[in-house]
Amino acid sequence: MPKIKGNNIPPPPPDFKSKYDMRVLPAVMSFFLMVSVSSFLKIYEYWNENFKRQKEIENENRTSELNFLKSQLNPHFFFNSLNTIYSLSISKSTKTPEAILNLSELMRYMLLDRKENAIDMKVKLKEEINYISNYIELQKLRITPNNKIDFKVNGDIDKVEIYPLLFISFIENAFKYGVHPIAESTIKIEFVITDNALLFEVTNDLHFQKTSYDSFGLGNKNSIRRLNLYYPGNVIKIDNDQKYKVSLLINLNEN
């Protein structure tokens, strides 16, 4: 029998299992990676669509609520304004035609809210203050000389835009409860505009107590809710001690 030299010993056969693992393992890892990525993309797509739908529902709810609040605001405003004109007509005042003309100007401004997509439409603060000024002039036609109106605007209003009709309810209530036919009284209305903020304040005496059936609470609650929807970070303070005072601070960079 021939002798086999040590250096002529054939190498051992390759480990088939190890060789198989080396070839299959990367393919298996690639497959699981593809499945994982695909699953992640599906989950992300589902989450993204769900998030968009949630935002759509929130926007729809917000729009519906704002429309409802506006539907309350306009009759509330017209009711109070018509009471003013009615009082003038009862006394056969020569100011009645002027009051009707003034009210028509106010109504024209309020019709802006009836335009399509008006929910998120802003107006120039200058226009809003002009509207408030017209309302004050309308109220001056019915009040007696012992009632003083202090209306001030400080700051640059030409470049500022605001959502309309956010302040009028507070001013309406000031005239409703802050004037008296005999007693001395003052209504103070002030706007202060800086680069980043708007401060609105209205202060009045309380000559008449609100009743459970009047519109005092409705007007204020309506305005506060609209402010919170438009400017979630606003600051509202109401002082009802010796005088009724509303302070509102709006961050103009917020929205």
PDB file of all heavy atoms in Angstrom, residues 219-247:
ATOM      1  N   GLY A 219     -73.482  88.112  25.080  1.00  0.00           N
ATOM      2  CA  GLY A 219     -72.531  88.902  24.303  1.00  0.00           C
ATOM      3  C   GLY A 219     -71.099  88.690  24.747  1.00  0.00           C
ATOM      4  O   GLY A 219     -70.202  88.482  23.920  1.00  0.00           O
ATOM      5  N   ASN A 220     -70.868  88.725  26.052  1.00  0.00           N
ATOM      6  CA  ASN A 220     -69.505  88.545  26.556  1.00  0.00           C
ATOM      7  C   ASN A 220     -68.988  87.130  26.326  1.00  0.00           C
ATOM      8  O   ASN A 220     -67.849  86.931  25.895  1.00  0.00           O
ATOM      9  CB  ASN A 220     -69.461  88.883  28.046  1.00  0.00           C
ATOM     10  CG  ASN A 220     -69.262  90.372  28.288  1.00  0.00           C
ATOM     11  OD1 ASN A 220     -69.325  91.174  27.363  1.00  0.00           O
ATOM     12  ND2 ASN A 220     -69.045  90.741  29.536  1.00  0.00           N
ATOM     13  N   LYS A 221     -69.809  86.134  26.616  1.00  0.00           N
ATOM     14  CA  LYS A 221     -69.377  84.749  26.418  1.00  0.00           C
ATOM     15  C   LYS A 221     -69.099  84.474  24.943  1.00  0.00           C
ATOM     16  O   LYS A 221     -68.151  83.756  24.602  1.00  0.00           O
ATOM     17  CB  LYS A 221     -70.449  83.795  26.939  1.00  0.00           C
ATOM     18  CG  LYS A 221     -70.558  83.770  28.459  1.00  0.00           C
ATOM     19  CD  LYS A 221     -71.660  82.817  28.909  1.00  0.00           C
ATOM     20  CE  LYS A 221     -71.779  82.807  30.432  1.00  0.00           C
ATOM     21  NZ  LYS A 221     -72.882  81.906  30.883  1.00  0.00           N
ATOM     22  N   ASN A 222     -69.917  85.021  24.084  1.00  0.00           N
ATOM     23  CA  ASN A 222     -69.730  84.871  22.644  1.00  0.00           C
ATOM     24  C   ASN A 222     -68.372  85.432  22.225  1.00  0.00           C
ATOM     25  O   ASN A 222     -67.592  84.766  21.537  1.00  0.00           O
ATOM     26  CB  ASN A 222     -70.869  85.593  21.910  1.00  0.00           C
ATOM     27  CG  ASN A 222     -70.837  85.374  20.407  1.00  0.00           C
ATOM     28  OD1 ASN A 222     -69.809  85.560  19.772  1.00  0.00           O
ATOM     29  ND2 ASN A 222     -71.970  85.008  19.844  1.00  0.00           N
ATOM     30  N   SER A 223     -68.083  86.661  22.646  1.00  0.00           N
ATOM     31  CA  SER A 223     -66.835  87.309  22.258  1.00  0.00           C
ATOM     32  C   SER A 223     -65.615  86.587  22.831  1.00  0.00           C
ATOM     33  O   SER A 223     -64.600  86.432  22.147  1.00  0.00           O
ATOM     34  CB  SER A 223     -66.828  88.773  22.721  1.00  0.00           C
ATOM     35  OG  SER A 223     -67.831  89.506  22.050  1.00  0.00           O
ATOM     36  N   ILE A 224     -65.721  86.152  24.076  1.00  0.00           N
ATOM     37  CA  ILE A 224     -64.597  85.447  24.699  1.00  0.00           C
ATOM     38  C   ILE A 224     -64.314  84.141  23.970  1.00  0.00           C
ATOM     39  O   ILE A 224     -63.155  83.782  23.728  1.00  0.00           O
ATOM     40  CB  ILE A 224     -64.875  85.202  26.193  1.00  0.00           C
ATOM     41  CG1 ILE A 224     -64.851  86.536  26.950  1.00  0.00           C
ATOM     42  CG2 ILE A 224     -63.863  84.233  26.791  1.00  0.00           C
ATOM     43  CD1 ILE A 224     -65.314  86.431  28.391  1.00  0.00           C
ATOM     44  N   ARG A 225     -65.366  83.427  23.600  1.00  0.00           N
ATOM     45  CA  ARG A 225     -65.162  82.161  22.885  1.00  0.00           C
ATOM     46  C   ARG A 225     -64.537  82.395  21.511  1.00  0.00           C
ATOM     47  O   ARG A 225     -63.635  81.666  21.094  1.00  0.00           O
ATOM     48  CB  ARG A 225     -66.502  81.427  22.751  1.00  0.00           C
ATOM     49  CG  ARG A 225     -66.389  80.065  22.037  1.00  0.00           C
ATOM     50  CD  ARG A 225     -65.370  79.174  22.715  1.00  0.00           C
ATOM     51  NE  ARG A 225     -65.184  77.927  21.992  1.00  0.00           N
ATOM     52  CZ  ARG A 225     -64.115  77.161  22.091  1.00  0.00           C
ATOM     53  NH1 ARG A 225     -63.112  77.529  22.886  1.00  0.00           N
ATOM     54  NH2 ARG A 225     -64.033  76.039  21.419  1.00  0.00           N
ATOM     55  N   ARG A 226     -64.998  83.410  20.793  1.00  0.00           N
ATOM     56  CA  ARG A 226     -64.424  83.721  19.479  1.00  0.00           C
ATOM     57  C   ARG A 226     -62.957  84.124  19.615  1.00  0.00           C
ATOM     58  O   ARG A 226     -62.116  83.749  18.802  1.00  0.00           O
ATOM     59  CB  ARG A 226     -65.220  84.833  18.802  1.00  0.00           C
ATOM     60  CG  ARG A 226     -66.627  84.409  18.397  1.00  0.00           C
ATOM     61  CD  ARG A 226     -67.408  85.556  17.792  1.00  0.00           C
ATOM     62  NE  ARG A 226     -66.910  85.873  16.458  1.00  0.00           N
ATOM     63  CZ  ARG A 226     -66.574  87.092  16.066  1.00  0.00           C
ATOM     64  NH1 ARG A 226     -66.643  88.105  16.911  1.00  0.00           N
ATOM     65  NH2 ARG A 226     -66.161  87.313  14.837  1.00  0.00           N
ATOM     66  N   LEU A 227     -62.655  84.893  20.646  1.00  0.00           N
ATOM     67  CA  LEU A 227     -61.259  85.277  20.890  1.00  0.00           C
ATOM     68  C   LEU A 227     -60.391  84.058  21.139  1.00  0.00           C
ATOM     69  O   LEU A 227     -59.271  83.958  20.630  1.00  0.00           O
ATOM     70  CB  LEU A 227     -61.185  86.232  22.082  1.00  0.00           C
ATOM     71  CG  LEU A 227     -61.564  87.686  21.807  1.00  0.00           C
ATOM     72  CD1 LEU A 227     -61.878  88.414  23.105  1.00  0.00           C
ATOM     73  CD2 LEU A 227     -60.443  88.388  21.048  1.00  0.00           C
ATOM     74  N   ASN A 228     -60.894  83.111  21.910  1.00  0.00           N
ATOM     75  CA  ASN A 228     -60.120  81.901  22.205  1.00  0.00           C
ATOM     76  C   ASN A 228     -59.924  81.031  20.970  1.00  0.00           C
ATOM     77  O   ASN A 228     -58.908  80.327  20.861  1.00  0.00           O
ATOM     78  CB  ASN A 228     -60.801  81.106  23.314  1.00  0.00           C
ATOM     79  CG  ASN A 228     -60.681  81.776  24.667  1.00  0.00           C
ATOM     80  OD1 ASN A 228     -59.746  82.534  24.915  1.00  0.00           O
ATOM     81  ND2 ASN A 228     -61.633  81.519  25.550  1.00  0.00           N
ATOM     82  N   LEU A 229     -60.881  81.054  20.050  1.00  0.00           N
ATOM     83  CA  LEU A 229     -60.745  80.275  18.820  1.00  0.00           C
ATOM     84  C   LEU A 229     -59.762  80.932  17.859  1.00  0.00           C
ATOM     85  O   LEU A 229     -58.985  80.249  17.190  1.00  0.00           O
ATOM     86  CB  LEU A 229     -62.112  80.114  18.140  1.00  0.00           C
ATOM     87  CG  LEU A 229     -63.091  79.162  18.827  1.00  0.00           C
ATOM     88  CD1 LEU A 229     -64.467  79.250  18.184  1.00  0.00           C
ATOM     89  CD2 LEU A 229     -62.578  77.724  18.755  1.00  0.00           C
ATOM     90  N   TYR A 230     -59.799  82.251  17.794  1.00  0.00           N
ATOM     91  CA  TYR A 230     -58.911  82.968  16.876  1.00  0.00           C
ATOM     92  C   TYR A 230     -57.507  83.161  17.462  1.00  0.00           C
ATOM     93  O   TYR A 230     -56.504  83.033  16.750  1.00  0.00           O
ATOM     94  CB  TYR A 230     -59.497  84.339  16.538  1.00  0.00           C
ATOM     95  CG  TYR A 230     -60.583  84.315  15.500  1.00  0.00           C
ATOM     96  CD1 TYR A 230     -61.800  84.959  15.729  1.00  0.00           C
ATOM     97  CD2 TYR A 230     -60.407  83.663  14.286  1.00  0.00           C
ATOM     98  CE1 TYR A 230     -62.808  84.954  14.769  1.00  0.00           C
ATOM     99  CE2 TYR A 230     -61.406  83.651  13.326  1.00  0.00           C
ATOM    100  CZ  TYR A 230     -62.604  84.303  13.573  1.00  0.00           C
ATOM    101  OH  TYR A 230     -63.595  84.294  12.626  1.00  0.00           O
ATOM    102  N   TYR A 231     -57.453  83.487  18.741  1.00  0.00           N
ATOM    103  CA  TYR A 231     -56.179  83.766  19.412  1.00  0.00           C
ATOM    104  C   TYR A 231     -56.107  82.952  20.703  1.00  0.00           C
ATOM    105  O   TYR A 231     -56.412  83.474  21.788  1.00  0.00           O
ATOM    106  CB  TYR A 231     -56.044  85.255  19.721  1.00  0.00           C
ATOM    107  CG  TYR A 231     -56.087  86.148  18.511  1.00  0.00           C
ATOM    108  CD1 TYR A 231     -57.261  86.801  18.141  1.00  0.00           C
ATOM    109  CD2 TYR A 231     -54.951  86.336  17.721  1.00  0.00           C
ATOM    110  CE1 TYR A 231     -57.304  87.614  17.023  1.00  0.00           C
ATOM    111  CE2 TYR A 231     -54.987  87.155  16.606  1.00  0.00           C
ATOM    112  CZ  TYR A 231     -56.168  87.789  16.265  1.00  0.00           C
ATOM    113  OH  TYR A 231     -56.196  88.600  15.149  1.00  0.00           O
ATOM    114  N   PRO A 232     -55.723  81.694  20.614  1.00  0.00           N
ATOM    115  CA  PRO A 232     -55.718  80.825  21.810  1.00  0.00           C
ATOM    116  C   PRO A 232     -54.843  81.342  22.948  1.00  0.00           C
ATOM    117  O   PRO A 232     -55.086  81.010  24.096  1.00  0.00           O
ATOM    118  CB  PRO A 232     -55.189  79.489  21.266  1.00  0.00           C
ATOM    119  CG  PRO A 232     -55.481  79.528  19.804  1.00  0.00           C
ATOM    120  CD  PRO A 232     -55.336  80.954  19.397  1.00  0.00           C
ATOM    121  N   GLY A 233     -53.843  82.154  22.631  1.00  0.00           N
ATOM    122  CA  GLY A 233     -52.940  82.633  23.679  1.00  0.00           C
ATOM    123  C   GLY A 233     -53.308  83.981  24.247  1.00  0.00           C
ATOM    124  O   GLY A 233     -52.515  84.594  24.971  1.00  0.00           O
ATOM    125  N   ASN A 234     -54.505  84.481  23.938  1.00  0.00           N
ATOM    126  CA  ASN A 234     -54.878  85.804  24.426  1.00  0.00           C
ATOM    127  C   ASN A 234     -55.065  85.792  25.938  1.00  0.00           C
ATOM    128  O   ASN A 234     -55.284  84.741  26.545  1.00  0.00           O
ATOM    129  CB  ASN A 234     -56.152  86.292  23.731  1.00  0.00           C
ATOM    130  CG  ASN A 234     -57.399  85.608  24.261  1.00  0.00           C
ATOM    131  OD1 ASN A 234     -57.954  86.017  25.280  1.00  0.00           O
ATOM    132  ND2 ASN A 234     -57.838  84.560  23.585  1.00  0.00           N
ATOM    133  N   VAL A 235     -54.991  86.971  26.526  1.00  0.00           N
ATOM    134  CA  VAL A 235     -55.170  87.121  27.979  1.00  0.00           C
ATOM    135  C   VAL A 235     -56.374  88.028  28.216  1.00  0.00           C
ATOM    136  O   VAL A 235     -56.403  89.172  27.755  1.00  0.00           O
ATOM    137  CB  VAL A 235     -53.918  87.725  28.637  1.00  0.00           C
ATOM    138  CG1 VAL A 235     -54.151  87.901  30.140  1.00  0.00           C
ATOM    139  CG2 VAL A 235     -52.714  86.837  28.378  1.00  0.00           C
ATOM    140  N   ILE A 236     -57.375  87.525  28.919  1.00  0.00           N
ATOM    141  CA  ILE A 236     -58.579  88.295  29.219  1.00  0.00           C
ATOM    142  C   ILE A 236     -58.717  88.441  30.727  1.00  0.00           C
ATOM    143  O   ILE A 236     -58.651  87.462  31.453  1.00  0.00           O
ATOM    144  CB  ILE A 236     -59.845  87.612  28.654  1.00  0.00           C
ATOM    145  CG1 ILE A 236     -59.753  87.475  27.132  1.00  0.00           C
ATOM    146  CG2 ILE A 236     -61.093  88.398  29.034  1.00  0.00           C
ATOM    147  CD1 ILE A 236     -60.918  86.715  26.531  1.00  0.00           C
ATOM    148  N   LYS A 237     -58.894  89.679  31.168  1.00  0.00           N
ATOM    149  CA  LYS A 237     -59.135  89.938  32.584  1.00  0.00           C
ATOM    150  C   LYS A 237     -60.409  90.754  32.723  1.00  0.00           C
ATOM    151  O   LYS A 237     -60.597  91.750  32.017  1.00  0.00           O
ATOM    152  CB  LYS A 237     -57.954  90.699  33.208  1.00  0.00           C
ATOM    153  CG  LYS A 237     -56.649  89.902  33.243  1.00  0.00           C
ATOM    154  CD  LYS A 237     -55.544  90.713  33.904  1.00  0.00           C
ATOM    155  CE  LYS A 237     -54.240  89.920  33.950  1.00  0.00           C
ATOM    156  NZ  LYS A 237     -53.146  90.688  34.586  1.00  0.00           N
ATOM    157  N   ILE A 238     -61.272  90.347  33.633  1.00  0.00           N
ATOM    158  CA  ILE A 238     -62.519  91.057  33.879  1.00  0.00           C
ATOM    159  C   ILE A 238     -62.596  91.408  35.356  1.00  0.00           C
ATOM    160  O   ILE A 238     -62.533  90.527  36.216  1.00  0.00           O
ATOM    161  CB  ILE A 238     -63.736  90.209  33.459  1.00  0.00           C
ATOM    162  CG1 ILE A 238     -63.698  89.933  31.952  1.00  0.00           C
ATOM    163  CG2 ILE A 238     -65.031  90.913  33.838  1.00  0.00           C
ATOM    164  CD1 ILE A 238     -64.847  89.082  31.453  1.00  0.00           C
ATOM    165  N   ASP A 239     -62.680  92.691  35.643  1.00  0.00           N
ATOM    166  CA  ASP A 239     -62.759  93.195  37.018  1.00  0.00           C
ATOM    167  C   ASP A 239     -64.175  93.728  37.242  1.00  0.00           C
ATOM    168  O   ASP A 239     -64.615  94.654  36.556  1.00  0.00           O
ATOM    169  CB  ASP A 239     -61.724  94.304  37.219  1.00  0.00           C
ATOM    170  CG  ASP A 239     -61.707  94.802  38.658  1.00  0.00           C
ATOM    171  OD1 ASP A 239     -62.469  94.251  39.483  1.00  0.00           O
ATOM    172  OD2 ASP A 239     -60.944  95.743  38.950  1.00  0.00           O
ATOM    173  N   ASN A 240     -64.864  93.166  38.189  1.00  0.00           N
ATOM    174  CA  ASN A 240     -66.254  93.549  38.442  1.00  0.00           C
ATOM    175  C   ASN A 240     -66.419  94.048  39.869  1.00  0.00           C
ATOM    176  O   ASN A 240     -67.402  93.747  40.548  1.00  0.00           O
ATOM    177  CB  ASN A 240     -67.173  92.343  38.184  1.00  0.00           C
ATOM    178  CG  ASN A 240     -68.632  92.746  38.084  1.00  0.00           C
ATOM    179  OD1 ASN A 240     -68.950  93.910  37.930  1.00  0.00           O
ATOM    180  ND2 ASN A 240     -69.516  91.777  38.221  1.00  0.00           N
ATOM    181  N   ASP A 241     -65.439  94.830  40.336  1.00  0.00           N
ATOM    182  CA  ASP A 241     -65.465  95.312  41.717  1.00  0.00           C
ATOM    183  C   ASP A 241     -66.301  96.589  41.802  1.00  0.00           C
ATOM    184  O   ASP A 241     -67.515  96.555  41.910  1.00  0.00           O
ATOM    185  CB  ASP A 241     -64.040  95.531  42.200  1.00  0.00           C
ATOM    186  CG  ASP A 241     -63.973  95.829  43.681  1.00  0.00           C
ATOM    187  OD1 ASP A 241     -65.008  95.689  44.364  1.00  0.00           O
ATOM    188  OD2 ASP A 241     -62.894  96.206  44.163  1.00  0.00           O
ATOM    189  N   GLN A 242     -65.663  97.742  41.764  1.00  0.00           N
ATOM    190  CA  GLN A 242     -66.397  99.000  41.816  1.00  0.00           C
ATOM    191  C   GLN A 242     -66.829  99.449  40.412  1.00  0.00           C
ATOM    192  O   GLN A 242     -67.851 100.109  40.248  1.00  0.00           O
ATOM    193  CB  GLN A 242     -65.540 100.085  42.473  1.00  0.00           C
ATOM    194  CG  GLN A 242     -65.216  99.781  43.926  1.00  0.00           C
ATOM    195  CD  GLN A 242     -64.364 100.867  44.556  1.00  0.00           C
ATOM    196  OE1 GLN A 242     -63.788 101.701  43.868  1.00  0.00           O
ATOM    197  NE2 GLN A 242     -64.277 100.840  45.880  1.00  0.00           N
ATOM    198  N   LYS A 243     -66.030  99.113  39.443  1.00  0.00           N
ATOM    199  CA  LYS A 243     -66.350  99.386  38.048  1.00  0.00           C
ATOM    200  C   LYS A 243     -66.216  98.078  37.269  1.00  0.00           C
ATOM    201  O   LYS A 243     -65.545  97.154  37.706  1.00  0.00           O
ATOM    202  CB  LYS A 243     -65.402 100.434  37.454  1.00  0.00           C
ATOM    203  CG  LYS A 243     -65.526 101.827  38.061  1.00  0.00           C
ATOM    204  CD  LYS A 243     -64.525 102.774  37.428  1.00  0.00           C
ATOM    205  CE  LYS A 243     -64.634 104.178  38.006  1.00  0.00           C
ATOM    206  NZ  LYS A 243     -65.895 104.855  37.605  1.00  0.00           N
ATOM    207  N   TYR A 244     -66.849  98.064  36.128  1.00  0.00           N
ATOM    208  CA  TYR A 244     -66.718  96.876  35.268  1.00  0.00           C
ATOM    209  C   TYR A 244     -65.621  97.179  34.251  1.00  0.00           C
ATOM    210  O   TYR A 244     -65.724  98.126  33.469  1.00  0.00           O
ATOM    211  CB  TYR A 244     -68.034  96.561  34.569  1.00  0.00           C
ATOM    212  CG  TYR A 244     -68.045  95.195  33.930  1.00  0.00           C
ATOM    213  CD1 TYR A 244     -68.439  94.076  34.656  1.00  0.00           C
ATOM    214  CD2 TYR A 244     -67.652  95.013  32.615  1.00  0.00           C
ATOM    215  CE1 TYR A 244     -68.444  92.813  34.090  1.00  0.00           C
ATOM    216  CE2 TYR A 244     -67.656  93.754  32.037  1.00  0.00           C
ATOM    217  CZ  TYR A 244     -68.056  92.665  32.773  1.00  0.00           C
ATOM    218  OH  TYR A 244     -68.053  91.415  32.200  1.00  0.00           O
ATOM    219  N   LYS A 245     -64.578  96.358  34.261  1.00  0.00           N
ATOM    220  CA  LYS A 245     -63.442  96.601  33.375  1.00  0.00           C
ATOM    221  C   LYS A 245     -63.042  95.311  32.670  1.00  0.00           C
ATOM    222  O   LYS A 245     -62.879  94.266  33.298  1.00  0.00           O
ATOM    223  CB  LYS A 245     -62.247  97.140  34.168  1.00  0.00           C
ATOM    224  CG  LYS A 245     -61.015  97.417  33.316  1.00  0.00           C
ATOM    225  CD  LYS A 245     -59.880  98.002  34.156  1.00  0.00           C
ATOM    226  CE  LYS A 245     -58.662  98.302  33.293  1.00  0.00           C
ATOM    227  NZ  LYS A 245     -57.543  98.872  34.089  1.00  0.00           N
ATOM    228  N   VAL A 246     -62.889  95.412  31.360  1.00  0.00           N
ATOM    229  CA  VAL A 246     -62.424  94.290  30.552  1.00  0.00           C
ATOM    230  C   VAL A 246     -61.076  94.670  29.948  1.00  0.00           C
ATOM    231  O   VAL A 246     -60.946  95.727  29.325  1.00  0.00           O
ATOM    232  CB  VAL A 246     -63.412  93.943  29.426  1.00  0.00           C
ATOM    233  CG1 VAL A 246     -62.847  92.838  28.536  1.00  0.00           C
ATOM    234  CG2 VAL A 246     -64.759  93.514  30.000  1.00  0.00           C
ATOM    235  N   SER A 247     -60.072  93.823  30.165  1.00  0.00           N
ATOM    236  CA  SER A 247     -58.745  94.017  29.568  1.00  0.00           C
ATOM    237  C   SER A 247     -58.432  92.811  28.690  1.00  0.00           C
ATOM    238  O   SER A 247     -58.563  91.674  29.133  1.00  0.00           O
ATOM    239  CB  SER A 247     -57.669  94.155  30.657  1.00  0.00           C
ATOM    240  OG  SER A 247     -57.914  95.284  31.465  1.00  0.00           O
TER     241      SER A 247
END
